[in-house]
Amino acid sequence: MGQKVMIITGGSRGIGAATALLAGKKGYAVCVNYVSNRDAAEEVVGKITAAGGKAMSVAGDVGKEADIVRLFESVDKEFGAVTALINNAGILDHGIRVEEMTAERINRVLITNITGSMICAREAVRRMSTTYGGQGGVIVNLSSMAAKLGGPFEFVDYAASKGAIDAFTIGLAKEVAMDGIRVNAVRPGLIYTDIHASGGTTDRVDRLKDGVPMKRGGTPEEVANAILWLASDEASYATGTFIDISGGR
C-alpha cells in the first residue's frame, strides 16, 4: 500500500482534531472534515503541514449524502483513495428527558450520528474493498460509553444513536472482513471536549468525574491514541472490536 490517507469527519475540534494531529505525525495524508468552523479546521491543517505532513480541509455536513460524496471525491483528487476513515462527527442536543423530546430533535441526532457514519462507511468501502479493486483499509467508528450507560435524564437519543453505531460496527466488520477492511470502534467516556457545551453543560466532566474509578476526565489525545492504534497494522487481527476509553467507568 502506498500513501496512507485518512479522512476524519468532524476533525476541526476535540477528539477529531487530536486524531488528525497524531495521524499527521504518523505519516498519514489527513483530510480534516468540518461543518462550519473553517478557521479551526485550517488551524489543524496548518499544524500538520508546518510539521512537514500533508493535510487538507473539506467542508461538509455528514447529515447530507451529497456532502459526503463530495468529501470523498475531493480526497480522491487531492490524495488518492482513502485508506482509513474515522467516523468521528457527532452531535447532541441539550439534556432533557425523553418525554420532552421532539421528533425533529431525535431525527437530527440520528441522521448525523447514524446515517452519516453509515454513508461515510459506504463511500470508504467502495474505495477500500478488494472486491472493487481496492487495497484494503480501516474504519474506526466513534461510539460512546453512553451506548452502554443509556444517557438517562439527558441524552437518551444520543445514547441510542451510539448503540446503533455499536451494532453497525459489528455488522459491517463481518460483512467486509474478506474484503481487506477492518472495522472497529472506540467508546470514549467523560472526555474534556466542547461537545458538552453543545449540550448546555460546559462543566459536565468536572461534575461527574468522581463517578469514574480514576476520578478524572480523559483527554482527546488519550482517545486519539486508541483510534490510531486500531487504524495501524499493530491491530491487524482486530475487527468488530471495541476499546473503552473511560477511566474504568
Side-chain angles (χ1 to χ4, degrees):
M1 191 179 294
Q3 172 73 63
K4 299 184 296 182
V5 178
M6 180 179 288
I7 294 175
I8 304 169
T9 62
S12 66
R13 65 180 190 172
I15 292 168
T19 302
L21 294 171
L22 185 57
K25 291 178 182 176
K26 291 183 177 292
Y28 287 88
V30 181
C31 173
V32 177
N33 158 254
Y34 67 98
V35 177
S36 58
N37 195 339
R38 180 179 179 180
D39 289 345
E42 285 299 318
E43 182 178 351
V44 174
V45 168
K47 288 179 179 178
I48 294 171
T49 56
K54 294 174 65 176
M56 65 184 290
S57 65
V58 178
D61 182 348
V62 298
K64 299 176 180 176
E65 184 176 14
D67 283 15
I68 294 172
V69 172
R70 184 172 52 79
L71 165 64
F72 278 80
E73 289 176 347
S74 297
V75 173
D76 291 340
K77 292 174 184 175
E78 188 71 22
F79 293 146
V82 61
T83 62
L85 166 67
I86 314 302
N87 265 325
N88 171 73
I91 61 169
L92 52 72
D93 209 320
H94 281 61
I96 56 175
R97 292 169 59 102
V98 171
E99 68 262 30
E100 299 170 324
M101 292 181 183
T102 64
E104 186 278 330
R105 168 196 163 118
I106 294 167
N107 288 334
R108 180 159 32 86
V109 170
L110 300 188
I111 287 171
T112 296
N113 295 2
I114 304 173
T115 307
S117 293
M118 293 183 74
I119 297 300
C120 284
R122 180 195 76 188
E123 293 299 308
V125 168
R126 289 176 177 178
R127 290 159 171 80
M128 296 174 179
S129 174
T130 54
T131 299
Y132 300 113
Q135 301 297 308
V138 183
I139 297 170
V140 181
N141 293 323
L142 267 290
S143 179
S144 169
M145 288 302 293
K148 297 171 114 180
L149 301 172
F153 309 107
E154 293 183 301
F155 311 116
V156 172
D157 50 349
Y158 175 82
S161 76
K162 294 304 185 177
I165 289 298
D166 284 5
F168 170 55
T169 298
I170 294 166
L172 183 62
K174 293 176 179 179
E175 199 167 276
V176 298
M178 290 293 290
D179 299 329
I181 304 171
R182 295 186 298 106
V183 185
N184 296 293
V186 295
R187 293 192 195 102
L190 289 167
I191 309 297
Y192 286 104
T193 76
D194 58 3
I195 194 171
H196 301 294
S198 302
T201 54
T202 53
D203 65 340
R204 188 168 188 267
V205 176
D206 288 329
R207 177 164 49 85
L208 299 176
K209 67 183 180 181
D210 284 345
V212 176
M214 290 180 72
K215 303 298 182 187
R216 69 173 179 88
T219 68
E221 290 74 21
E222 288 174 314
V223 181
N225 285 328
I227 292 170
L228 266 294
W229 182 78
L230 286 171
S232 76
D233 291 339
E234 293 177 352
S236 56
Y237 199 50
T239 196
T241 196
F242 300 81
I243 299 179
D244 293 350
I245 310 296
S246 62
R249 193 168 182 220

